Amino acid sequence: MTEKPDRYAVIGHPVQHSRSPMIHALFAKQTRQKLAYEAIDASPEGLETAVRGFGAAGGKGLNITVPHKHKAMQLCDALGSEAEQAGAVNTITFVTTTRLRGDNTDGIGFMRDLVVNHNQNVRGARILILGAGGAARGILPPLIEAEPADLVLANRTVGRAEAVVAKLGAKIEVCVFEDLGQKRPFDIVVNATSAGLDGRRPPFPAACLTPDSFCYDLAYSLKETPFVRWALERGARRAVQGWGMLVEQAAESFQIWRGVRPDTTAILAQLDRAAPRVNAS
Ligand code: ATR
């Protein structure tokens, strides 16, 4: 009898557009691992049942996506340090059918895309993060660790940014978008907001950019994202979407589960050939 492949899945709501099943299928093929990876739609009320049911049925691991990353953390029996710092889990490993370990690979995936794939120097750089929600919380700890010269966190609701910084205990300046006009421009500008996705113009002042600013959108789309359009229209020469982060965080999850890290350069090139990522790098 042939052995059944190990089962993995991504849980989100909605989830039908998730690229994770395709990315993990490419990883499995490249590393010659036998596994099955599916997408499961679960409402916030149905999350716990979906997660525990997957474990009870012998599932080995889950990726957790919007809007469940915070709630999923509360289901875990043990947490990796990145998950603890971010207050969110994007990777669950079933240590046993009922014992769950939670990790967060978003931050490391972001850093790898920024530093390795896009060749950016974080140490000594002046960095602006726009937004103070879950996405920003995930990338801040590894950014702080990389020792930028300045780190500014701007958010529509300043109290939310202050709360994020207070929890991190690091030297980060906090402000609202309007204050950015009075600040020196930044080397790296990261969009961690959903501003612009409703069709309105992103509310960031152009003064935070120079042509040399590297602009990174944590969001990704088959079209140009509103932030990438905003940055290019305001003179930035390089503005990229978060496709690379998506692939890199997936590779980190794959490594946690399977003990082998896929060659992401080859996978990113393959995805580019299939559907060119819109960017201007
Ligand atoms: P995520 O997990 O994707 O970060 P989130 O926690 O809901 O989602 O955070 C969304 C972020 O986008 C927040 O920083 C939010 O600002 P507030 O904290 O002020 O709500 C920001 N955001 C959403 N819509 C926005 C808009 N139209 N203009 C500016 N910022 C916006």
Side-chain angles (χ1 to χ4, degrees), residues 27-96:
F27 289 169
K29 192 168 172 216
Q30 187 200 60
T31 60
R32 298 170 190 272
Q33 300 273 310
K34 201 172 167 203
L35 57 87
Y37 190 108
E38 61 199 279
I40 298 173
D41 195 312
S43 66
E45 306 73 51
L47 177 68
E48 178 160 5
T49 307
V51 169
R52 300 214 186 275
F54 194 77
K60 300 287 183 199
L62 289 167
N63 283 129
I64 305 294
T65 190
V66 178
H68 300 315
K69 290 186 188 182
H70 179 67
K71 199 166 172 207
M73 188 175 86
Q74 293 151 358
L75 302 177
C76 295
D77 304 287
L79 292 175
S81 57
E82 289 84 1
E84 216 159 309
Q85 278 179 309
V89 154
N90 77 336
T91 306
I92 287 178
T93 308
F94 290 94
V95 183
T96 68

Side-chain angles (χ1 to χ4, degrees), residues 150-215:
D150 302 298
L151 195 48
V152 176
L153 183 63
N155 198 38
R156 178 175 64 180
T157 315
V158 75
R160 203 167 175 210
E162 282 166 353
V164 168
V165 170
K167 204 166 163 239
L168 288 168
K171 202 180 138 278
I172 302 174
E173 196 184 327
V174 164
C175 66
V176 288
F177 302 133
E178 293 75 21
D179 294 344
L180 291 171
Q182 282 93 58
K183 299 200 186 299
R184 281 187 295 125
F186 294 86
D187 301 313
I188 299 174
V189 179
V190 182
N191 177 42
T193 73
S194 40
L197 296 181
D198 56 3
R200 279 182 281 183
R201 279 161 178 268
F204 319 127
C208 55
L209 296 182
T210 71
D212 290 328
S213 303
F214 181 80
C215 298

Side-chain angles (χ1 to χ4, degrees), residues 92-279:
I92 287 178
T93 308
F94 290 94
V95 183
T96 68
T97 51
T98 54
R99 193 172 159 76
L100 282 62
R101 179 192 157 88
D103 286 285
N104 191 318
T105 64
D106 285 334
I108 187 165
F110 165 71
M111 291 301 284
R112 199 168 157 109
D113 194 37
L114 185 70
V115 174
V116 179
N117 300 340
H118 294 298
N119 222 3
Q120 294 299 300
N121 254 331
V122 173
R123 197 189 171 94
R126 193 167 150 71
I127 301 183
L128 169 63
I129 310 293
L130 302 162
R137 278 203 312 273
I139 64 165
L140 275 165
L143 266 178
I144 294 164
E145 213 167 291
E147 300 183 345
D150 302 298
L151 195 48
V152 176
L153 183 63
N155 198 38
R156 178 175 64 180
T157 315
V158 75
R160 203 167 175 210
E162 282 166 353
V164 168
V165 170
K167 204 166 163 239
L168 288 168
K171 202 180 138 278
I172 302 174
E173 196 184 327
V174 164
C175 66
V176 288
F177 302 133
E178 293 75 21
D179 294 344
L180 291 171
Q182 282 93 58
K183 299 200 186 299
R184 281 187 295 125
F186 294 86
D187 301 313
I188 299 174
V189 179
V190 182
N191 177 42
T193 73
S194 40
L197 296 181
D198 56 3
R200 279 182 281 183
R201 279 161 178 268
F204 319 127
C208 55
L209 296 182
T210 71
D212 290 328
S213 303
F214 181 80
C215 298
Y216 192 105
D217 197 347
L218 296 186
Y220 49 87
S221 156
L222 286 177
K223 298 184 295 186
E224 202 172 51
T225 59
F227 174 73
V228 164
R229 191 173 325 119
W230 172 86
L232 295 176
E233 281 172 5
R234 279 151 191 82
R237 279 194 293 261
R238 289 165 306 164
V240 304
Q241 309 189 20
W243 281 111
M245 174 179 172
L246 178 72
V247 172
E248 298 294 350
Q249 62 79 29
E252 295 295 326
S253 299
F254 194 91
Q255 178 164 34
I256 288 172
W257 294 330
R258 310 299 298 182
V260 48
R261 195 178 199 285
D263 172 2
T264 48
T265 312
I267 300 291
L268 280 166
Q270 204 171 333
L271 291 178
D272 256 347
R273 281 195 301 275
R277 286 171 292 153
V278 178
N279 66 39

